[in-house]
Amino acid sequence: AQSVSQHNHHVILSEAASLELGCNYSYGGTVNLFWYVQYPGQHLQLLLKYFSGDPLVKGIKGFEAEFIKSKFSFNLRKPSVQWSDTAEYFCAVDGSGGSNYKLTFGKGTLLTVNP
Amino acid sequence: GAVVSQHPSRVICKSGTSVKIECRSLDFQATTMFWYRQFPKQSLMLMATSNEGSKATYEQGVEKDKFLINHASLTLSTLTVTSAHPEDSSFYICSARTSKSDTQYFGPGTRLTVL
């Protein structure tokens, strides 16, 4: 079955630490990849997305993600986190490559940044 | 731009009653809307996809007669939970996309509690 795995359930960092959240998927064909963020009490917001081209994509708020096709991975990174980055982060995959736009989500990673 | 609203944000109902949740795209026309369900500490699970003017496509395991979806206009989709039971208690989230975008924009969600 198609699936999306996020390795870390809860990550706790201090401000200015570097962040990397893992995401792996199990689709064999063309995929569109997304990272969404959900701040406390707010709705899901798009951080960044990859459809094609440069496998290193940059999103909002200093986040970036790298698509490594051979590893079926799309890890999210930020060189220096801030307290305001405390949120839940979801990796999502459109396994249809854009033909039906259905998203499969990972279970999410809760990021807590301590001041 | 790309704002999606949901109403109500929270609803409590008695077992056996029906509940309607509205999802609106406020500043764009949504050719496709999606309905998700999120259990505590779990990921979003796609329930169904609806295209304006046509019947919704339900994911495997989702009861069509229990979760009625109507997408009557390009800015409104409704999810009706019929004869709700306590096990239907969950967080229901909608998203919407336009015909020109591969990105889904999410609503803030509706917390349903069935007593």
Side-chain angles (χ1 to χ4, degrees), chain A residues 36 49 51 101-102 105-106, chain B residues 43 59 102-104 106-107:
Chain A
Y36 282 88
K49 59 187 178 184
F51 292 157
Y101 307 102
K102 293 183 181 181
F105 281 82
Chain B
S43 181
E59 295 301 299
D102 293 321
T103 300
Q104 292 183 31
F106 285 80

Side-chain angles (χ1 to χ4, degrees), chain A residues 6-7 9 33 35 54 57 64-65 71 75 86 88 105 113:
Chain A
Q6 289 184 242
H7 314 301
H9 177 63
L33 301 159
W35 274 97
D54 188 344
V57 293
E64 64 179 30
K71 295 185 178 180
N75 292 354
T86 294
E88 188 147 24
F105 281 82
V113 180

